[in-house]
Amino acid sequence: MASSLTKDSVRPGTPGSEKTFFGHPRGLATLFMTEMWERFSFYGMRALLVLYLVAPASKGGLAFAAATGAAVYSVYNATVYLLAMPGGWIGDRLWGPRKTVAVAGTIIMIGHFLLAVPVKASFFVGLVFIAVGSGLLKANISTMVGHLYPDRNDARRDGAFTVFYMGINLGAFVAPLLIGWVADATNWHFGFALAGVGMALGLTQYLLGTRHLSPISNQVPRPVDTAEKAALLKKAGLWAAAAAVFYGIVTATGSFTINWVLWPLSLLGLALPAFFFTRMRRDKELTADEKSKISGFVWFFVVAAVFWMIYDQSGSTLTLFASDHTANKLWGFSFPASWFQSLNPLFVIALAPVVAAVWIKLGQRNPSTTVKFALGLIGIGVSFGVMMLAMGASGDAKVTPLWLCSVYLIQTVAELCLSPVGLSVTTKLAPQKYASQMMGLFFLAVTAGDCLAALTQLVIGDAFLSTTSFAIQGAIAALGGLGFVAYRKKVIKLMGDVH
């Protein structure tokens, strides 16, 4: 990355002479590399997760039913993003974003190494560690990107999030190839260990580069007072005790199954966003303009939730389709099913600069954020229309990998219309009081979408992998996108001075 850092040929200290990263503040390089390695660890582990869950015991797996394995994957992914909300609160109220990310990286690293231990209990404890650490990291590291641009309408802001998004996808591209190959050549747990090494590299890089971040990132925007902290600890203790008693009774009576975890977490993932939106809207410290922007943000949240419901099945439904219904050979070259997970980030790396250039080229004709979101939702719906055709074509034979290649290509274009723009619009619409928490709330759209997917998988069982399931989900998304286009003027009005 050193070659991307440039310095004006003027005297040091002169305004404008600072080193930059693709024309952006140098701190973006630190956040870019940290997120790249964190995503390497996360997506590398994720590429193996559902395959490990459903693999028979004879092959070292946990032998879950396909629908159960997919639901576990969906709920786990939902929990990662669910914990982004309290992670944002910790950044806003306790530690500040910079310290929170350092703690998060340490927890994630430990979690991955726990997965590497060939003990079932250690595996699930490791998943909890990674979920907690990822929740702490996600909202705060994205918020720190926004801190590099004090002016919310800085023209470089959207571009910065696109560059940051490239870091995510660079790590996500390499991880399934390398970690998937290691797991296929050795065993599952060596693959999980390699993910831990990646997070260790990311944490080291972050600690060495924090001096380049904005000083704002080291501040606690609204520190919690002693009385409030004591009250929160009391509430947390009561909820933890209640959960321990409940699950203790369920376990003691011999009634416990994985569904006792999947159902409550799925329902919680749908209920919490409504609670947080209501609480923010009722905050008397916010101005009428800030409340209006939160109302506008609700619409982006709903669209994003439906989008992620389909998109995040790439690691569950599409991975199982790749394993069971897709040939693992193309042009004479064989590869593990986990490698399909590298297609989306590869396409992002290739297409993100193109899409960003198109938005700039359009100038005043650039589609509004609402239209971009709608295009993303329509696109993700079309991708499941293609999956419907692929499922129908499979029959008793395995289909060509080109089906999944086309699906991932369509999903990538849809993602580029929605996800980077969503990160940017969230930082613009967020009240200062809820800067990190609002980013956490945006990530709760992923939680809501994954929970919807998990509930679907639990209710319909193995029918989740069928032409009918693909057709219904695709139609819901495409029609929802068209509806959002029709309603866009009212949403734009709620956004106030944000463009």
Side-chain angles (χ1 to χ4, degrees):
M1 294 298 168
S3 62
S4 64
L5 296 174
T6 60
K7 189 171 183 179
D8 298 342
S9 55
V10 293
R11 186 178 52 172
T14 302
S17 68
E18 303 87 357
K19 289 184 178 181
T20 63
F21 180 69
F22 293 110
H24 294 274
R26 192 175 181 183
L28 184 60
T30 295
L31 300 176
F32 174 96
M33 293 294 291
T34 303
E35 184 73 347
M36 182 192 75
W37 282 113
E38 188 272 331
R39 292 291 87 182
F40 172 90
S41 68
F42 180 81
Y43 282 100
M45 180 277 291
R46 203 178 81 156
L48 304 181
L49 183 56
V50 75
L51 296 173
Y52 173 67
L53 290 171
V54 304
S58 60
K59 294 185 178 180
L62 297 185
F64 282 20
T68 303
V72 170
Y73 170 89
S74 295
V75 170
Y76 166 71
N77 208 53
T79 305
V80 167
Y81 290 90
L82 174 65
L83 292 172
M85 194 67 192
W89 184 89
I90 289 172
D92 281 343
R93 306 296 306 278
L94 291 179
W95 296 339
R98 188 182 299 185
K99 179 180 178 180
T100 304
V101 169
V103 173
T106 304
I107 295 173
I108 293 170
M109 178 183 66
I110 293 171
H112 284 295
F113 287 127
L114 286 173
L115 298 187
V117 179
V119 176
K120 188 174 182 178
S122 177
F123 176 81
F124 285 105
V125 171
L127 288 182
V128 172
F129 269 67
I130 298 170
V132 171
S134 297
L136 288 170
L137 183 140
K138 293 197 68 63
N140 289 287
I141 197 168
S142 297
T143 297
M144 287 194 288
V145 174
H147 285 165
L148 297 172
Y149 307 89
D151 181 0
R152 294 192 176 194
N153 289 313
D154 190 323
R156 300 176 299 168
R157 197 180 184 99
D158 280 5
F161 278 101
T162 299
V163 172
F164 180 68
Y165 212 64
M166 290 286 284
I168 293 174
N169 286 280
L170 182 59
F173 166 66
V174 175
L177 298 178
L178 183 56
I179 294 176
W181 172 76
V182 168
D184 189 61
T186 57
N187 62 55
W188 302 107
H189 299 285
F190 275 109
F192 294 136
L194 184 56
V197 172
M199 188 64 251
L201 291 172
L203 179 61
T204 301
Q205 190 278 333
Y206 176 76
L207 295 175
L208 292 175
T210 51
R211 66 185 184 278
H212 301 303
L213 302 177
S214 169
I216 299 174
S217 298
N218 209 29
Q219 299 175 6
V220 181
R222 186 167 165 262
V224 63
D225 58 44
T226 304
E228 187 178 1
K229 185 185 295 185
L232 287 169
L233 288 174
K234 182 179 179 180
K235 288 180 181 179
L238 289 174
W239 279 106
V245 171
F246 175 78
Y247 281 105
I249 293 172
V250 172
T251 302
T253 58
S255 303
F256 182 81
T257 67
I258 192 67
N259 284 347
W260 280 102
V261 176
L262 300 180
W263 276 94
L265 286 177
S266 296
L267 295 174
L268 182 66
L270 296 176
L272 280 180
F275 167 78
F276 285 123
F277 273 122
T278 301
R279 193 190 66 175
M280 286 184 182
R281 284 283 290 123
R282 291 180 177 176
D283 190 334
K284 295 180 180 180
E285 294 183 11
L286 299 184
T287 65
D289 178 65
E290 288 174 324
K291 290 182 179 181
S292 176
K293 288 175 180 176
I294 291 174
S295 297
F297 181 73
V298 170
W299 290 99
F300 292 105
F301 179 93
V302 172
V303 171
V306 178
F307 175 89
W308 294 115
M309 177 186 72
I310 293 178
Y311 179 90
D312 266 355
Q313 291 183 56
S314 62
S316 56
T317 305
L318 299 193
T319 295
L320 291 174
F321 182 85
S323 177
D324 300 337
H325 299 279
T326 305
N328 67 338
K329 181 179 291 186
L330 185 64
W331 301 315
F333 179 74
S334 298
F335 49 88
S338 58
W339 279 23
F340 281 101
Q341 293 297 294
S342 286
L343 284 175
N344 170 257
L346 174 63
F347 289 142
V348 169
I349 293 169
L351 297 178
V354 176
V355 173
V358 168
W359 298 148
I360 294 173
K361 185 70 174 178
L362 288 174
Q364 296 298 322
R365 295 172 297 165
N366 194 0
S368 67
T369 302
T370 51
V371 172
K372 291 176 182 177
F373 259 61
L375 290 173
L377 191 54
I378 293 169
I380 206 69
V382 170
S383 76
F384 259 38
V386 175
M387 278 304 304
M388 175 192 69
L389 298 176
M391 194 73 206
S394 63
D396 295 327
K398 291 190 174 183
V399 300
T400 171
L402 295 178
W403 278 107
L404 279 177
C405 289
S406 63
V407 169
Y408 280 115
L409 177 60
I410 296 168
Q411 290 192 349
T412 299
V413 175
E415 178 191 4
L416 290 171
C417 289
L418 184 144
S419 193
V421 178
L423 291 172
S424 181
V425 77
T426 300
T427 63
K428 294 177 183 178
L429 293 174
Q432 182 61 38
K433 178 179 178 179
Y434 294 114
S436 290
Q437 292 179 67
M438 189 74 119
M439 187 60 71
L441 192 52
F442 179 70
F443 289 129
L444 277 186
V446 183
T447 294
D450 282 331
C451 288
L452 287 171
L455 291 173
T456 301
Q457 291 155 354
L458 289 170
V459 169
I460 68 176
D462 289 345
F464 81 95
L465 194 61
S466 66
T467 54
T468 301
S469 177
F470 288 129
I472 292 174
Q473 292 181 74
I476 290 173
L479 292 174
L482 293 173
F484 193 56
V485 170
Y487 194 75
R488 70 186 185 280
K489 290 184 180 179
K490 293 183 179 180
V491 177
I492 291 172
K493 184 178 180 180
L494 292 170
M495 295 168 65
D497 60 349
V498 173
H499 307 293

